[in-house]
Amino acid sequence: MGFVSCLEDQQKRFESDCHLLQRGVRSGKIDGEKAKKEALRLLGDAKVRWAQMLKYFDELTEPDSVVGETPQELRNRCSALEGEVAKLKQKASKLGDVAGILAMQNQLLQEQLKHERRQRKKLEREFEKMGHEDFGRLVEPFMTKGMFERHAKR
Protein backbone atom coordinates (compact mmCIF):
# COMPACT_ATOMS: atom_id res chain seq x y z
CA MET A 1 0.00 0.00 0.00
CA GLY A 2 1.44 3.32 -1.06
CA PHE A 3 1.53 6.58 0.86
CA VAL A 4 -1.35 8.05 -1.11
CA SER A 5 -3.57 4.99 -0.60
CA CYS A 6 -2.80 4.96 3.11
CA LEU A 7 -3.62 8.67 3.34
CA GLU A 8 -6.90 8.15 1.48
CA ASP A 9 -7.85 5.31 3.86
CA GLN A 10 -7.06 7.51 6.86
CA GLN A 11 -9.16 10.29 5.37
CA LYS A 12 -12.13 7.94 4.91
CA ARG A 13 -11.82 6.65 8.48
CA PHE A 14 -11.53 10.21 9.80
CA GLU A 15 -14.64 11.30 7.89
CA SER A 16 -16.53 8.22 9.13
CA ASP A 17 -15.47 8.87 12.74
CA CYS A 18 -16.49 12.52 12.41
CA HIS A 19 -19.89 11.48 11.13
CA LEU A 20 -20.37 8.99 13.99
CA LEU A 21 -19.29 11.56 16.61
CA GLN A 22 -21.60 14.21 15.20
CA ARG A 23 -24.50 11.76 15.14
CA GLY A 24 -23.81 10.72 18.74
CA VAL A 25 -23.66 14.31 19.94
CA ARG A 26 -26.79 15.34 18.10
CA SER A 27 -28.79 12.26 19.14
CA GLY A 28 -28.13 12.90 22.84
CA LYS A 29 -26.08 9.79 23.61
CA ILE A 30 -23.35 12.01 25.06
CA ASP A 31 -24.55 13.54 28.35
CA GLY A 32 -23.99 17.09 29.34
CA GLU A 33 -24.25 20.23 27.31
CA LYS A 34 -20.66 21.17 28.01
CA ALA A 35 -19.42 17.80 26.78
CA LYS A 36 -21.40 18.25 23.59
CA LYS A 37 -19.96 21.70 22.97
CA GLU A 38 -16.44 20.49 23.66
CA ALA A 39 -16.82 17.51 21.36
CA LEU A 40 -18.15 19.72 18.56
CA ARG A 41 -15.30 22.18 19.09
CA LEU A 42 -12.72 19.40 18.97
CA LEU A 43 -14.36 17.98 15.90
CA GLY A 44 -14.25 21.37 14.18
CA ASP A 45 -10.59 21.80 15.11
CA ALA A 46 -9.81 18.35 13.75
CA LYS A 47 -11.52 19.16 10.47
CA VAL A 48 -9.50 22.36 10.15
CA ARG A 49 -6.23 20.53 10.84
CA TRP A 50 -7.17 17.81 8.37
CA ALA A 51 -7.92 20.38 5.67
CA GLN A 52 -4.56 22.04 6.29
CA MET A 53 -2.79 18.70 6.04
CA LEU A 54 -4.54 17.96 2.73
CA LYS A 55 -3.48 21.38 1.43
CA TYR A 56 0.13 20.64 2.32
CA PHE A 57 -0.16 17.22 0.74
CA ASP A 58 -1.47 18.77 -2.49
CA GLU A 59 1.45 21.18 -2.53
CA LEU A 60 3.92 18.33 -2.04
CA THR A 61 2.42 16.19 -4.78
CA GLU A 62 1.82 19.00 -7.31
CA PRO A 63 3.18 17.82 -10.67
CA ASP A 64 4.36 21.30 -11.67
CA SER A 65 6.71 21.68 -8.72
CA VAL A 66 10.30 20.90 -9.46
CA VAL A 67 12.02 18.65 -6.96
CA GLY A 68 14.67 20.63 -5.23
CA GLU A 69 12.93 23.99 -5.31
CA THR A 70 13.43 25.83 -2.10
CA PRO A 71 10.48 27.22 -0.18
CA GLN A 72 11.63 30.73 -1.11
CA GLU A 73 11.63 29.83 -4.82
CA LEU A 74 8.14 28.40 -4.46
CA ARG A 75 6.97 31.57 -2.67
CA ASN A 76 8.48 33.71 -5.44
CA ARG A 77 6.75 31.64 -8.10
CA CYS A 78 3.49 31.84 -6.16
CA SER A 79 3.89 35.62 -5.85
CA ALA A 80 4.49 35.95 -9.59
CA LEU A 81 1.41 33.85 -10.32
CA GLU A 82 -0.65 35.96 -7.93
CA GLY A 83 0.51 39.05 -9.85
CA GLU A 84 -0.64 37.47 -13.11
CA VAL A 85 -3.99 36.59 -11.56
CA ALA A 86 -4.40 40.19 -10.38
CA LYS A 87 -3.62 41.48 -13.90
CA LEU A 88 -6.11 39.05 -15.42
CA LYS A 89 -8.78 40.08 -12.92
CA GLN A 90 -8.18 43.73 -13.77
CA LYS A 91 -8.38 42.96 -17.49
CA ALA A 92 -11.58 40.98 -16.93
CA SER A 93 -13.03 43.93 -15.02
CA LYS A 94 -12.18 46.30 -17.87
CA LEU A 95 -13.71 43.91 -20.39
CA GLY A 96 -16.82 43.71 -18.22
CA ASP A 97 -17.05 47.51 -18.23
CA VAL A 98 -16.67 47.60 -22.02
CA ALA A 99 -19.32 44.90 -22.35
CA GLY A 100 -21.66 46.97 -20.19
CA ILE A 101 -21.11 50.06 -22.33
CA LEU A 102 -21.67 48.06 -25.51
CA ALA A 103 -24.86 46.59 -24.06
CA MET A 104 -26.12 50.10 -23.27
CA GLN A 105 -25.25 51.28 -26.79
CA ASN A 106 -27.00 48.26 -28.25
CA GLN A 107 -30.09 49.03 -26.22
CA LEU A 108 -30.07 52.66 -27.37
CA LEU A 109 -29.63 51.61 -30.98
CA GLN A 110 -32.49 49.10 -30.64
CA GLU A 111 -34.74 51.85 -29.31
CA GLN A 112 -33.64 54.17 -32.11
CA LEU A 113 -34.35 51.43 -34.66
CA LYS A 114 -37.84 50.94 -33.22
CA HIS A 115 -38.45 54.68 -33.43
CA GLU A 116 -37.19 54.80 -37.05
CA ARG A 117 -39.43 51.86 -38.01
CA ARG A 118 -42.46 53.52 -36.45
CA GLN A 119 -41.61 56.77 -38.27
CA ARG A 120 -41.20 54.89 -41.57
CA LYS A 121 -44.55 53.14 -41.17
CA LYS A 122 -46.18 56.46 -40.35
CA LEU A 123 -44.70 58.08 -43.47
CA GLU A 124 -45.77 55.10 -45.61
CA ARG A 125 -49.35 55.41 -44.32
CA GLU A 126 -49.34 59.15 -45.01
CA PHE A 127 -47.98 58.60 -48.51
CA GLU A 128 -50.60 55.96 -49.26
CA LYS A 129 -53.30 58.22 -47.85
CA MET A 130 -52.15 61.06 -50.08
CA GLY A 131 -51.98 58.72 -53.07
CA HIS A 132 -55.53 57.56 -52.58
CA GLU A 133 -56.92 61.01 -51.99
CA ASP A 134 -55.31 62.96 -54.81
CA PHE A 135 -53.07 60.87 -57.03
CA GLY A 136 -53.25 63.47 -59.77
CA ARG A 137 -51.77 66.12 -57.49
CA LEU A 138 -48.83 63.81 -56.72
CA VAL A 139 -47.94 63.17 -60.34
CA GLU A 140 -48.76 66.64 -61.65
CA PRO A 141 -45.16 67.96 -61.28
CA PHE A 142 -43.98 65.11 -63.47
CA MET A 143 -46.51 65.90 -66.18
CA THR A 144 -45.04 69.26 -67.14
CA LYS A 145 -43.17 69.46 -70.40
CA GLY A 146 -39.68 67.94 -70.08
CA MET A 147 -40.06 66.77 -66.50
CA PHE A 148 -41.65 63.47 -67.45
CA GLU A 149 -38.89 62.73 -69.98
CA ARG A 150 -36.18 63.69 -67.50
CA HIS A 151 -37.55 61.46 -64.76
CA ALA A 152 -38.41 58.61 -67.08
CA LYS A 153 -34.74 58.25 -68.07
CA ARG A 154 -33.70 57.51 -64.49
Side-chain angles (χ1 to χ4, degrees):
M1 178 182 280
F3 177 73
V4 175
S5 298
C6 181
L7 187 61
E8 288 173 350
D9 290 343
Q10 288 175 355
Q11 180 183 359
K12 287 178 184 175
R13 272 186 271 140
F14 174 78
E15 290 172 353
S16 174
D17 291 345
C18 286
H19 177 71
L20 291 173
L21 181 59
Q22 283 179 335
R23 192 172 63 194
V25 168
R26 288 191 177 124
S27 69
K29 291 181 182 177
I30 298 176
D31 291 335
E33 195 63 35
K34 187 174 181 178
K36 286 181 183 180
K37 288 180 182 177
E38 186 65 21
L40 288 173
R41 185 189 61 76
L42 290 173
L43 182 61
D45 289 347
K47 282 184 176 181
V48 169
R49 299 293 174 251
W50 186 257
Q52 287 175 340
M53 193 277 310
L54 288 175
K55 178 184 170 199
Y56 297 142
F57 178 73
D58 286 342
E59 290 175 2
L60 289 173
T61 58
E62 182 180 332
D64 290 342
S65 67
V66 177
V67 178
E69 279 186 301
T70 65
Q72 184 60 39
E73 290 172 332
L74 290 172
R75 282 189 212 99
N76 290 342
R77 189 161 54 121
C78 184
S79 177
L81 291 174
E82 286 173 348
E84 286 183 42
V85 167
K87 288 178 187 176
L88 290 173
K89 283 183 179 179
Q90 186 178 19
K91 195 173 188 179
S93 175
K94 287 179 182 178
L95 288 174
D97 293 344
V98 169
I101 290 170
L102 289 174
M104 286 179 17
Q105 283 181 333
N106 185 32
Q107 184 179 7
L108 289 172
L109 289 172
Q110 290 288 339
E111 290 174 11
Q112 185 180 358
L113 180 63
K114 285 180 187 177
H115 174 73
E116 294 293 329
R117 284 180 177 163
R118 277 188 246 122
Q119 186 68 21
R120 181 176 155 237
K121 285 182 182 180
K122 179 182 172 187
L123 290 173
E124 284 177 352
R125 283 191 304 266
E126 287 179 12
F127 180 75
E128 292 217 3
K129 185 178 176 184
M130 286 174 45
H132 288 296
E133 290 177 359
D134 193 4
F135 183 74
R137 197 176 76 195
L138 287 174
V139 295
E140 187 176 8
F142 298 104
M143 300 303 287
T144 61
K145 187 169 183 161
M147 284 296 273
F148 184 74
E149 291 174 5
R150 191 169 107 194
H151 288 285
K153 290 179 184 179
R154 288 186 186 176

